[in-house]
Amino acid sequence: MNTDFHKTIETIPVPENLVSAAITRGISDAAPRKRRTNRRHWLIMGAAAAVLLAGTAVIAPVSIQAGGIIPAFTQLLDKEMAKTHYFDDTMDAILGDLADTDNYHKLSVPAQEVGGIKVQPIGTITTAGVAAVIVDYTGPGIQPDHLRQQMVKVQQTNGQAIMDTNFNFGKIALGHYRQVIAFYTIGPDSEAVTGIKLQLTDINGVHQTVDFGDIPLQQPPMKDVPIQQTISAAVPFGGKVTGHLVNAKTTATSMVINYTTAFTMADGMTKKQISDYQQAAWISEAKLVDAAGKEVGMLQLASGGQFLNTKTTGKQVTTQFSSTFAKIYTTGAATKHKLTTAPAGTQVKFVLEIRGKSGHERQTVGSFTVPLKSLLEK
């Protein structure tokens, strides 16, 4: 984590005409990092509310913490009324300033009334592998403590359920709260994720489910980068595992890396060993190397090792995965730079890992080397 991040954000000026209203106070839940062992991938998920102190012209960028997004504002208090100090701004780097309503794709979804308040999705933000939906709550009876306890269910309209979502609220004005729900989309083709189904339950303390039906997601143009590289490594059980880097889907702020692993089920392999090789693989690390072979930084990870699907033909098992990265690289003490500023001739080494001999270990299969230039915008 960049411990100096929250010391500098309060000095970032933002024109007041970009801010829809002053958010006077926000409350966040900073959930611990979750390891989804049943799905064999780690996700950093969440959502955030932007915070603007009334009477000032300074706004803090929104940040995502491992396990949940929090506004990156040192004055912001969590639910125990204690300051939050742990920041991870990957989602902030990808989605940008959530206080700027000009960034939203506007929605025309009718408001629904629950317990005397109106609930209405007003916009979405999308990029490669990432999406957010913004929901407004208006009415005199809003209870912030109850809002924080509501349940959120998101499903892509292609049938894929989003298991990892988190959210937060910001107070816009008296009787007006805004919620941002952010999540990593699932699937090898981000452009194919054209909508979600949204359900909210226990709104403002009322035990009721509100279904907003299909909400469209307007995906930005994406660059499709075919890569087609293969590496293999011997493994403790079953001979070898072969990794294949298929392609990348990129936008100006993020990229989705699609890859597969394959192995042949050998005699004597246990069901657990087969399951480990079938469902678990990660590209969670990407090193930037200059033309002289010197490491110059690390690509900023958003989510690594997202399991997509698996196929068995005879004894051959092939599984598809994806990882999402921000178009940011870090150097030294987590200093961040745009990828466009990397030295000419820089290459990216995407490191592929699989389950090791024990459940707590990972084995490196090898790395795929891709010219950075090919991953940048045209």
Side-chain angles (χ1 to χ4, degrees), residues 161-178:
I162 302 296
M163 302 302 295
D164 296 271
T165 61
N166 216 325
F167 55 86
N168 207 342
F169 293 86
K171 182 178 179 181
I172 304 296
L174 184 64
H176 183 182
Y177 277 73
R178 179 160 293 163

Side-chain angles (χ1 to χ4, degrees), residues 262-278:
F263 69 97
T264 300
M265 290 185 289
D267 294 339
M269 290 183 71
T270 67
K271 289 184 178 180
K272 184 180 184 306
Q273 291 161 359
I274 293 173
S275 177
D276 281 351
Y277 290 151
Q278 183 180 29

Side-chain angles (χ1 to χ4, degrees), residues 265-329:
M265 290 185 289
D267 294 339
M269 290 183 71
T270 67
K271 289 184 178 180
K272 184 180 184 306
Q273 291 161 359
I274 293 173
S275 177
D276 281 351
Y277 290 151
Q278 183 180 29
Q279 299 182 36
W282 302 267
I283 290 182
S284 300
E285 182 177 281
K287 303 175 183 178
L288 270 64
V289 179
D290 65 18
K294 180 182 178 182
E295 185 176 323
V296 297
M298 298 286 292
L299 202 59
Q300 188 166 338
L301 175 70
S303 68
Q306 186 181 90
F307 173 86
L308 299 179
N309 58 65
T310 189
K311 180 181 179 181
T312 302
T313 305
K315 291 190 173 184
Q316 183 73 12
V317 181
T318 303
T319 306
Q320 192 171 17
F321 301 92
S322 72
S323 295
T324 301
F325 291 87
K327 285 284 190 77
I328 299 288
Y329 74 98

Side-chain angles (χ1 to χ4, degrees), residues 5-6 9-10 49 60-63 70-74 76 87:
F5 178 70
H6 68 284
I9 54 176
E10 297 176 27
V62 178
S63 293
I70 55 174
F73 218 82
T74 54
L76 184 66
F87 300 111

Side-chain angles (χ1 to χ4, degrees), residues 31-353:
R33 179 181 296 272
K34 299 177 181 178
R35 181 176 296 178
R36 300 282 185 177
T37 53
N38 61 323
R39 298 178 67 224
R40 301 305 201 276
H41 71 273
W42 293 350
L43 292 179
I44 303 174
M45 302 301 300
V51 177
L52 178 66
L53 295 186
T56 73
V58 175
I59 189 167
V62 178
S63 293
I64 178 171
Q65 181 178 353
I69 293 182
I70 55 174
F73 218 82
T74 54
Q75 286 89 345
L76 184 66
L77 304 181
D78 63 20
K79 65 179 181 179
E80 284 81 26
M81 303 304 290
K83 289 185 178 181
T84 305
H85 299 291
Y86 303 98
F87 300 111
D88 182 345
D89 56 342
T90 299
M91 188 67 79
D92 178 35
I94 292 175
L95 289 181
D97 181 7
L98 294 176
D100 183 1
T101 56
D102 289 338
N103 288 339
Y104 303 172
H105 297 298
K106 304 300 187 295
L107 293 174
S108 297
V109 178
Q112 297 194 39
E113 187 168 328
V114 180
I117 68 171
K118 290 184 178 180
V119 186
Q120 183 177 29
I122 64 167
T124 62
I125 303 174
T126 55
T127 185
V130 182
V133 59
I134 296 91
V135 183
D136 267 9
Y137 298 76
T138 54
I142 293 178
Q143 303 178 66
D145 286 346
H146 286 167
L147 286 181
R148 290 203 309 273
Q149 296 170 12
Q150 81 174 18
M151 303 295 292
V152 174
K153 182 180 179 180
V154 177
Q155 181 179 357
Q156 294 176 184
T157 50
N158 61 8
Q160 184 70 57
I162 302 296
M163 302 302 295
D164 296 271
T165 61
N166 216 325
F167 55 86
N168 207 342
F169 293 86
K171 182 178 179 181
I172 304 296
L174 184 64
H176 183 182
Y177 277 73
R178 179 160 293 163
Q179 177 189 34
V180 182
I181 305 167
F183 50 92
Y184 291 96
T185 57
I186 299 176
D189 185 0
S190 295
E191 290 176 294
V193 183
T194 57
I196 61 169
K197 297 177 183 293
L198 176 65
Q199 285 186 347
L200 303 176
T201 302
D202 296 341
I203 298 172
N204 203 39
V206 177
H207 187 60
Q208 179 179 335
T209 296
V210 174
D211 191 337
F212 289 100
D214 292 351
I215 293 177
L217 295 178
Q218 184 175 331
Q219 296 287 355
M222 297 184 193
K223 181 180 178 182
D224 188 353
V225 183
I227 300 173
Q228 304 298 333
Q229 292 186 29
T230 300
I231 55 176
S232 297
V235 292
F237 315 104
K240 70 177 182 179
V241 168
T242 298
H244 182 69
L245 190 59
V246 180
N247 67 356
K249 294 280 191 175
T250 77
T251 62
T253 57
S254 63
M255 68 178 81
V256 176
I257 308 298
N258 292 302
Y259 55 101
T260 65
T261 61
F263 69 97
T264 300
M265 290 185 289
D267 294 339
M269 290 183 71
T270 67
K271 289 184 178 180
K272 184 180 184 306
Q273 291 161 359
I274 293 173
S275 177
D276 281 351
Y277 290 151
Q278 183 180 29
Q279 299 182 36
W282 302 267
I283 290 182
S284 300
E285 182 177 281
K287 303 175 183 178
L288 270 64
V289 179
D290 65 18
K294 180 182 178 182
E295 185 176 323
V296 297
M298 298 286 292
L299 202 59
Q300 188 166 338
L301 175 70
S303 68
Q306 186 181 90
F307 173 86
L308 299 179
N309 58 65
T310 189
K311 180 181 179 181
T312 302
T313 305
K315 291 190 173 184
Q316 183 73 12
V317 181
T318 303
T319 306
Q320 192 171 17
F321 301 92
S322 72
S323 295
T324 301
F325 291 87
K327 285 284 190 77
I328 299 288
Y329 74 98
T330 59
T331 59
T335 303
K336 294 175 176 57
H337 313 269
K338 293 183 178 180
L339 275 185
T340 52
T341 66
T346 293
Q347 295 184 314
V348 184
K349 290 185 176 294
F350 292 101
V351 180
L352 175 62
E353 296 178 311

